[in-house]
């Protein structure tokens, strides 16, 4: 079992990617998948994903694009997901943070 701490949409230099919610979500999901791969797994091993959002309207207006990003990175595997709207995140400028749980076979 791999418990993944919150991942925001920052790049290798720990800078939030520009462009709003969709690019931040894409980078955060890439960060989650990088950690799963480092543990020896792949997207199909991600069993739970919590999505913390700071802007409900941005989420609602971007659902199609977010779904496209998810399917491009995850394929046809759908983890158990929860979306939570929160007042803010610790990382300045972050609009989304992802927490995950993966089960990677030995």
């Amino acid at each position: 079992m791999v418990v993944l701490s919150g991942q925001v949409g920052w790049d290798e230099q720990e800078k939030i990617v520009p462009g709003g919610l969709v690019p931040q979500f894409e980078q955060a999901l890439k960060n989650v998948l990088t950690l799963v791969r480092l543990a020896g797994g792949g997207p199909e091993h991600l069993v739970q994903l919590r999505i913390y959002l700071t802007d409900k309207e941005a989420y609602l207006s971007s659902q199609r694009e977010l779904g496209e990003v998810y399917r491009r990175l995850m394929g046809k595997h759908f983890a158990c997901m929860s979306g939570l709207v929160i007042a803010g995140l610790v990382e300045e400028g972050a609009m989304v943070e992802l927490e995950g749980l993966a089960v990677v076979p030995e």
Side-chain angles (χ1 to χ4, degrees), residues 22 53 74:
V22 175
L53 302 151
M74 295 288 294

Side-chain angles (χ1 to χ4, degrees), residues 8-17 31 91-92:
V8 294
W10 61 13
D11 59 19
E12 295 81 18
Q13 290 77 43
E14 297 183 0
K15 303 286 184 203
I16 295 292
V17 296
N31 295 344
E91 186 62 35
E92 187 69 34

